């Protein structure tokens, strides 16, 4: 399987300028969504794009500048390599078994029921599998929720006790 390598800065500058259609010197979520493909000739899921802008927008401008774009490019390249390594049948999608293999390798031990729930939640085309952009969103959401849970699981026993409002605050205050 071919690994995607990090591009050099000159190439990234050329890509950045092509994506920055309004020539503002920064890329908006709309511009980024139009530039990214999930492998099916469809634009990236808008929620995934919004999440990535939020993760890399260091100056909270709502856009990403060139330096932030370089970091985002590396992030997407790393996720693409990860995705390709678990897409065993090279279908361009991750099915339930491939998803389970991926998340198990990340250290998660989850039930069959939970994997079925993940597929239903992140399978926008109802094909029984998850596309690249939705895989990123799924993994980042799972990682973020896990970190928030661990923060409250002070004795690391896999159980927390919080009120409903504390739970809502926990979920709605997550930066994704």
């Amino acid at each position: 399987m071919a690994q995607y390598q990090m591009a050099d800065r000159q190439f990234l500058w050329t890509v950045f300028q092509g994506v920055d259609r309004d020539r503002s010197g920064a890329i908006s979520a709309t511009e980024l969504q139009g530039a990214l493909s999930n492998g099916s000739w469809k634009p990236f899921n808008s929620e995934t794009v919004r999440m990535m802008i939020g993760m890399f927008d260091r100056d909270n401008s709502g856009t990403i500048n060139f330096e932030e774009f370089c970091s985002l490019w590396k992030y997407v390249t790393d996720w693409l390599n990860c995705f390709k390594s678990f897409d065993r049948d090279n279908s361009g999608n991750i099915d339930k078994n491939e998803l389970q293999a991926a998340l198990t390798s990340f250290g998660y031990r989850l039930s069959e029921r939970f994997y079925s729930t993940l597929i239903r939640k992140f399978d926008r085309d109802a094909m029984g599998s998850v596309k690249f952009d939705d895989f990123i969103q799924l993994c980042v959401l799972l990682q973020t929720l896990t970190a928030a849970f661990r923060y409250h699981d002070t004795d690391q026993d896999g159980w927390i006790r919080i009120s409903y409002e504390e739970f809502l605050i926990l979920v709605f205050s997550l930066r994704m």
Side-chain angles (χ1 to χ4, degrees):
M1 176 192 69
Q3 286 278 67
Y4 292 91
Q5 301 297 317
M6 183 59 187
D8 68 26
R9 287 182 67 81
Q10 184 57 49
F11 173 79
L12 289 178
W13 178 247
T14 303
V15 171
F16 181 85
Q17 289 178 309
V19 174
D20 181 19
R21 284 183 248 124
D22 65 2
R23 301 290 178 246
S24 64
I27 296 174
S28 68
T30 304
E31 289 171 324
L32 184 61
Q33 183 180 23
L36 296 173
S37 170
N38 66 10
S40 65
W41 302 106
K42 294 180 183 176
F44 255 43
N45 176 334
S46 60
E47 184 62 23
T48 305
V49 172
R50 185 197 63 76
M51 177 193 70
M52 289 192 311
I53 291 277
M55 291 170 63
F56 290 93
D57 177 18
R58 307 273 191 265
D59 59 1
N60 294 317
S61 64
T63 60
I64 54 172
N65 62 32
F66 178 66
E67 291 303 320
E68 294 163 340
F69 177 75
C70 290
S71 297
L72 183 139
W73 184 279
K74 180 183 182 327
Y75 183 79
V76 171
T77 300
D78 290 347
W79 273 116
L80 182 58
N81 285 324
C82 175
F83 181 86
K84 294 274 187 196
S85 75
F86 290 105
D87 180 16
R88 306 271 188 218
D89 61 1
N90 295 315
S91 65
N93 298 304
I94 298 274
D95 66 23
K96 184 175 148 184
N97 291 331
E98 292 166 333
L99 179 62
Q100 186 171 359
L103 296 183
T104 299
S105 78
F106 300 162
Y108 292 99
R109 304 293 179 258
L110 305 163
S111 69
E112 287 289 322
R113 180 176 170 215
F114 185 74
Y115 288 108
S116 295
T117 300
L118 287 176
I119 293 292
R120 275 193 311 280
K121 170 77 175 155
F122 292 93
D123 177 13
R124 286 184 289 143
D125 296 331
M127 301 294 291
S129 59
V130 178
K131 293 186 179 350
F132 173 56
D133 52 337
D134 296 316
F135 177 73
I136 294 172
Q137 184 182 357
L138 180 162
C139 291
V140 170
L141 178 60
L142 187 58
Q143 182 181 28
T144 303
L145 288 170
T146 300
F149 184 91
R150 284 188 177 147
Y151 175 80
H152 291 281
D153 185 12
T154 55
D155 60 359
Q156 302 297 301
D157 68 352
W159 292 89
I160 61 173
R161 183 174 174 93
I162 58 176
S163 72
Y164 179 63
E165 185 171 345
E166 289 171 318
F167 169 75
L168 291 175
I169 290 168
L170 172 74
V171 170
F172 286 112
S173 64
L174 296 175
R175 181 165 164 89
M176 291 182 283

